[in-house]
Amino acid sequence: MTTDTTGTVARDGDSRPGGPADSPFIRACRRRPVPHTPVWFMRQAGRSLPEYREIRASVPMLESCRRPELVTEITLQPVRRHGVDAAILFSDIVVPVAAAGIDLDIVPGTGPVVAEPIRTAADVERIRLITRDDVSYVDEAVRQLVVELGDTPLIGFAGAPFTLASYLVEGGPSRTHAKTKALMYGDPELWHALCARLADVTLAFLRVQIEAGVSAVQLFDSWAGALSEADYRRFVLPHSTAVLSGLVDAGVPRIHFGVGTAELLGAMGEAGADVVGVDWRTPLDVATGRIGADKAVQGNLDPCVLLAPWPVVEAEVRRILEQGRAAPGHVFNLGHGVMPETDPEVLTRVVALVHELSSRRADQG
Ligand code: CP3
């Protein structure tokens, strides 16, 4: 084990020159110099790709997450097609919750739907702690992928306690998170018990992925932007901190992402992230001012821009690369996931453009 200047412990096995730990993506996460700005896309594996739709035509979503050979193939598809700088494990944030004993399904066009929503202390007890055996398909898929990917890093991920709690309490997707907030304000003790349990499940799920060989992890708190900073700090931050700080010795960079989080960026960084994901609402230079110069940023092209004519896309990519220079490390990404109607050729062009513009910049000193 070696300790770098960021205070993070690096694993000896994959820190050889040219290995995933020396890749532009991991270097940017650790705020080290990069040959070009690395780029990947949230939801890069998914419905924008015809080869994904073909596989999924006959296999339900959750089943596809539980078949290692399908997970491996779907995860590799965007790497082959676009030449992105990182792969992200094909799975879903509700996979560990289902493994923990909660009856749920992922309904096409809707998202996760929970059969019996969580409303009481007895309901919280139904969420069991998970071990590697409960998610052996994830362990197996990650091990296969690390071999297949070679020098390309694999990102593991999980949902953060607030976003998971929202699905579990609402019973499905919600615009207002009204039932979730009613529980949070009305029964803080139950709320904290629920989030503490979810933090334990999430931490166990991420540890399985790290032990199997992922090079970085991303904690998705997609819906945290529904809260004020004060409520975020009181009701959410301790639980996300339990997850991210629980991985401090794991030796892999930790990315923390949410949508609509302009007011929360500083707090989300404090939870124990090396990289903070930023949506399209906050320019990266402004975001860096809020997050602090000790963390890298990831983002933040509006996924809808990809539906516009190419000159619009190009101008936005240039602007984001420019604003990203204010940060001590920049991973190019979207501000949220790729939309299914996106033309995959535009994604491939964005990867090439980010590489070209950012390496030219390096040449010019
Ligand atoms: O490429 C990747 O980014 C990895 C795969 C991935 C999926 N889900 C696959 C998926 C990741 C990282 C997720 C995380 C996830 N799942 C989040 C956090 C990220 C975010 O988008 O904010 C959330 C909130 C979920 C819950 C969820 N699962 C939603 C809202 C949906 C979409 C419902 C729909 O059909 O529009 C899902 C299903 C899902 N997860 C799909 C994919 C590719 C679509 C299922 C399909 O192909 O039919």
Side-chain angles (χ1 to χ4, degrees):
M1 298 283 235
T2 52
T3 303
D4 66 28
T5 51
T6 61
T8 312
V9 179
R11 290 176 303 180
D12 286 333
D14 55 12
S15 58
R16 70 198 150 83
D22 194 36
S23 63
F25 168 69
I26 296 296
R27 294 181 66 88
C29 291
R30 297 200 189 282
R31 298 175 283 123
R32 291 186 184 145
V34 285
H36 60 257
T37 302
V39 47
W40 69 280
F41 305 109
M42 291 183 278
R43 290 282 170 91
Q44 63 190 16
R47 283 172 293 183
S48 66
L49 300 184
E51 58 271 35
Y52 169 83
R53 293 196 297 267
E54 198 183 315
I55 292 185
R56 284 291 325 288
S58 56
V59 191
M61 178 67 191
L62 272 179
E63 190 189 328
S64 66
C65 297
R66 291 175 181 143
R67 285 174 51 181
E69 79 286 5
L70 292 187
V71 172
T72 300
E73 169 56 24
I74 294 172
T75 302
L76 292 173
Q77 286 177 346
V79 179
R80 281 188 208 120
R81 188 191 259 266
H82 304 309
V84 281
D85 291 276
I88 179 160
L89 178 72
F90 179 75
S91 188
D92 194 86
I93 57 167
V94 296
V95 163
V97 182
I102 300 302
D103 182 6
L104 58 83
D105 198 7
I106 298 178
V107 178
T110 300
V113 174
V114 178
E116 292 174 64
I118 304 280
R119 303 280 157 75
T120 66
D123 289 336
V124 172
E125 290 307 312
R126 291 196 276 121
I127 308 170
R128 295 192 314 255
L129 294 179
I130 60 168
T131 65
R132 187 203 314 248
D133 289 346
D134 295 309
V135 287
S136 54
Y137 41 84
V138 169
D139 174 71
E140 207 179 306
V142 170
R143 287 175 197 277
Q144 277 176 19
L145 275 163
V146 167
V147 174
E148 296 275 340
L149 283 162
D151 294 341
T152 302
L154 175 64
I155 304 168
F157 75 91
F162 177 79
T163 293
L164 290 177
S166 172
Y167 284 109
L168 292 177
V169 174
E170 305 286 338
S174 164
R175 199 172 49 79
T176 59
H177 309 278
K179 294 189 183 79
T180 312
K181 290 185 182 182
L183 175 74
M184 191 175 87
Y185 295 123
D187 193 343
E189 202 183 325
L190 179 58
W191 170 260
H192 284 296
L194 170 60
C195 288
R197 179 60 61 94
L198 291 171
D200 287 342
V201 171
T202 297
L203 190 53
F205 188 55
L206 289 173
R207 284 222 172 98
V208 170
Q209 297 175 52
I210 292 168
E211 277 166 27
V214 299
S215 293
V217 291
Q218 178 157 326
L219 188 65
F220 283 93
D221 210 351
S222 301
W223 313 139
L227 298 174
S228 69
E229 184 186 349
D231 287 342
Y232 177 84
R233 286 186 178 278
R234 181 171 164 209
F235 293 110
V236 177
L237 183 58
H239 305 291
S240 296
T241 302
V243 177
L244 290 170
S245 301
L247 298 173
V248 77
D249 294 330
V252 300
R254 299 151 298 168
I255 310 169
H256 197 187
F257 167 79
V259 182
T261 54
E263 300 300 323
L264 308 180
L265 289 170
M268 289 183 76
E270 285 170 38
D274 302 288
V275 185
V276 177
V278 182
D279 83 1
W280 60 91
R281 293 172 180 90
T282 313
L284 292 180
D285 49 350
V286 175
T288 288
R290 295 179 185 177
I291 295 161
D294 60 336
K295 295 183 194 333
V297 294
Q298 176 174 278
N300 67 344
L301 182 67
D302 184 337
C304 296
V305 166
L306 297 172
L307 309 178
W310 177 252
V312 178
V313 180
E314 181 171 346
E316 285 293 271
V317 170
R318 284 178 186 274
R319 175 182 66 78
I320 288 163
L321 283 172
E322 218 26 68
Q323 291 171 337
R325 296 179 73 174
H330 177 208
V331 176
F332 193 99
N333 205 312
L334 305 181
H336 199 181
V338 174
M339 287 187 299
E341 59 267 48
T342 308
D343 176 352
E345 285 180 21
V346 175
L347 291 170
T348 308
R349 283 184 84 177
V350 168
V351 174
L353 181 64
V354 169
H355 287 168
E356 183 203 316
L357 292 175
S358 60
S359 26
R360 190 182 299 145
R361 200 181 71 207
D363 292 346
Q364 288 167 352

